[in-house]
Amino acid sequence: MEPASLVRGRRASRRAPRRVPCRVPRRVPWFRPAAAGLLFRLAARVLPRVLPHALLAAGLLAAGMQAAGALQRGPAKPLGAEPWLVTAGTRGAVEGVVQCVPAEREPRGSPMPASEPAGAALRADAQGYCESVIRFSYEALWYLSVVSASIDGAPCTSTRWFVACPVLLTANASATVSTLLDADPYARGSTEVAVSGIENPVYQPLDFQTEGGITVDQAPALVVPGVNRSGTTQLTVRASGPSGARGVQIKEQMPAFISVHSDDPACHFESLPGLLSCAWPHLDPGATIRVPIQISAGAGFPTSQLTTRLEAGADLGQAGAAATIVVSGNLVVGEQSLDAPARVLMDSSLVDKVSLHTLPSDARATPPPGIPARWTVHFSPGLQVQSVTPAEDSRDLVCTYSDDSVSCNAPNYGSEQPGTNANASIRLGAVQTGEQTATLHWDSTQGVGTTSQRVQVLWDAAEADGGKAAPAASSPTQGEAR
């Protein structure tokens, strides 16, 4: 029999565990009146010390952002301090700064401390404010108009030749007036913009600059000796813009015994000096003038390829180009064009473009279809052949070449079928200095002929600068028809 104490211990172990109550602390009432007063007293002690630093940091950040923008755009200059610059034929933005001068300081025109920025000024009133309407007058300039205007980003009142910007500034502050101007393609020279509504009115200088150029070109002319005006070609001059060209002139010096006729009243030919001259008062940006001209050669003129020089000029600048005149009494004539840099130096590359032409049928009888034609170019030792590439319209052309010559055969030339022309490009390398020659000979059932072109190869750029160098491609020698 178990002792009574052991029995009581077992019964005690089967009893439920004792539960201890959990005390949850009461939530602190943070916003009781007493606590709120404590917070306000704390803020009153801390904010006066922290707020100035926060405002200073914000100001430095804003100043840094403003400085970054100034680095990108460049700081605007005070009104009247330096000329505005606008490109003819474009829309350009101009800017000027006006400042508010404290009442105790004199505006621009009177002695001021060196640290004070110069420029158009307004005088502050007794309360330290500058209030006015700044006006810009463009004096009805026909070649200039206002598109829009703003002051510190706020729109101004504007018409074609007038701008009015209200301004309200505190002392020592400034405002920037931005104006978008539209300049005519023929705007030139300088003018002034009257600025009023400031303490001392100023005249803002405004200058116009030009941008663009002109190009000139003339297609090859095929001339039959003794046939009047047989060589029909076209003279072309173009202005690239955005500015228009003023005072456009073109001159072309013709070889002896070559005459030119044009129905365009802008052009005339002087037979004694052999000079073709054309002139126009202006040429719009992007526009092109095309002048048909007819070229004649005397009856005894030998088969030859001549090179003339086109010289064009305008207030936008100068331009030049080479033009080709092929004279032949045969129905089929050859032409070559050396595409060379201005200075042909050793180891540089150039291209000789060769083609056969059929003279106009109104000058000679129409050739029979499918003329067998071939041509050969012989080069002096200083020009080495690198490759030959037939043109897209000459797929039937078969060419072979060596270091110093190229031969091409067009079995169906003159049939007027696709791919039967006789045009090719020859890539050359300059391997020796001195005068080098490319001699073209063509042969067909409708005649043969020979022409030559020369090019001067220099050792290096120092030689070109130190001596009198010949042009890259000189006028070719005359060949003889066989």
Side-chain angles (χ1 to χ4, degrees):
M1 186 171 182
E2 295 179 355
S5 59
L6 183 58
V7 173
R8 285 195 302 269
R10 290 177 179 173
R11 290 177 180 175
S13 62
R14 290 196 294 265
R15 291 177 182 175
R18 184 180 179 183
R19 298 182 180 272
V20 179
C22 178
R23 295 182 179 272
V24 179
R26 298 178 65 182
R27 300 182 63 181
V28 179
W30 289 101
F31 295 100
R32 287 181 178 179
L38 178 61
L39 288 177
F40 284 125
R41 286 193 298 273
L42 181 62
R45 290 177 177 271
V46 174
L47 287 180
R49 300 180 180 180
V50 176
L51 187 59
H53 298 283
L55 293 178
L56 177 60
L60 291 175
L61 178 61
M65 295 177 64
Q66 184 177 3
L71 288 175
Q72 293 177 358
R73 296 188 312 166
K77 301 295 183 180
L79 286 170
E82 65 179 30
W84 288 341
L85 189 61
V86 180
T87 300
T90 67
R91 287 186 175 184
V94 294
E95 292 183 338
V97 175
V98 61
Q99 64 182 92
C100 180
V101 179
E104 66 272 15
R105 289 184 146 159
E106 294 296 327
R108 186 186 178 196
S110 300
M112 300 178 71
S115 59
E116 192 72 27
L122 295 169
R123 186 191 296 273
D125 57 20
Q127 287 74 34
Y129 291 96
C130 293
E131 184 175 4
S132 181
V133 177
I134 305 177
R135 297 176 175 86
F136 299 80
S137 176
Y138 291 83
E139 301 179 357
L141 303 175
W142 64 267
Y143 47 80
L144 186 71
S145 60
V146 176
V147 179
S148 63
S150 64
I151 181 166
D152 281 351
C156 299
T157 300
S158 63
T159 63
R160 181 176 180 182
W161 293 311
F162 179 79
V163 172
C165 296
V167 58
L168 178 60
L169 296 172
T170 59
N172 295 317
S174 62
T176 301
V177 180
S178 300
T179 308
L180 183 61
L181 299 175
D182 191 352
D184 186 88
Y186 298 103
R188 298 293 191 273
S190 302
T191 186
E192 290 181 331
V193 180
V195 183
S196 60
I198 53 180
E199 188 72 17
N200 294 318
V202 299
Y203 285 92
Q204 171 63 51
L206 178 61
D207 296 342
F208 297 97
Q209 65 179 359
T210 58
E211 183 178 331
I214 58 174
T215 56
V216 64
D217 186 34
Q218 181 176 299
L222 307 176
V223 182
V224 179
V227 179
N228 191 33
R229 303 182 185 178
S230 59
T232 300
T233 184
Q234 186 171 252
L235 183 65
T236 303
V237 58
R238 182 179 186 274
S240 60
S243 303
R246 299 176 65 178
V248 181
Q249 295 184 348
I250 298 177
K251 293 184 178 181
E252 183 177 8
Q253 182 67 54
M254 293 294 172
F257 306 109
I258 297 291
S259 61
V260 181
H261 174 80
S262 175
D263 293 328
D264 194 316
C267 299
H268 68 279
F269 178 73
E270 300 177 61
S271 57
L272 185 59
L275 182 65
L276 174 66
S277 301
C278 303
W280 298 270
H282 58 82
L283 180 57
D284 292 342
T288 301
I289 296 177
R290 296 178 174 86
V291 181
I293 59 176
Q294 298 84 39
I295 301 177
S296 305
F301 208 100
T303 296
S304 56
Q305 178 179 321
L306 310 173
T307 300
T308 63
R309 182 69 182 174
L310 297 169
E311 299 291 345
D315 67 341
L316 295 183
Q318 308 295 318
T324 300
I325 301 174
V326 178
V327 183
S328 177
N330 301 320
L331 192 59
V332 176
V333 296
E335 175 204 356
Q336 66 171 333
S337 174
L338 274 174
D339 184 6
R343 295 174 175 178
V344 181
L345 306 180
M346 277 285 292
D347 299 326
S348 62
S349 296
L350 56 157
V351 176
D352 190 13
K353 297 180 180 179
V354 180
S355 59
L356 294 187
H357 302 281
T358 303
L359 292 181
S361 59
D362 58 350
R364 306 287 288 179
T366 303
I371 305 172
R374 60 180 178 269
W375 53 259
T376 301
V377 186
H378 292 281
F379 299 98
S380 55
L383 299 177
Q384 188 176 72
V385 179
Q386 296 176 343
S387 64
V388 181
T389 305
E392 289 292 330
D393 60 358
S394 308
R395 293 190 300 270
D396 288 352
L397 190 66
V398 179
C399 298
T400 59
Y401 68 92
S402 62
D403 287 346
D404 60 356
S405 67
V406 174
S407 297
C408 293
N409 182 29
N412 297 310
Y413 176 79
S415 64
E416 298 184 355
Q417 297 298 315
T420 60
N421 290 329
N423 308 323
S425 296
I426 306 170
R427 181 166 293 277
L428 305 167
V431 296
Q432 290 184 20
T433 59
E435 186 179 76
Q436 308 300 329
T437 305
T439 302
L440 169 66
H441 175 79
W442 67 90
D443 185 357
S444 75
T445 58
Q446 302 300 314
V448 298
T450 301
T451 62
S452 296
Q453 281 199 311
R454 296 187 178 94
V455 65
Q456 187 76 19
V457 179
L458 306 174
W459 178 256
D460 54 19
E463 179 184 354
D465 296 333
K468 295 183 179 179
S474 62
S475 297
T477 59
Q478 296 181 352
E480 297 182 356
R482 297 182 181 178

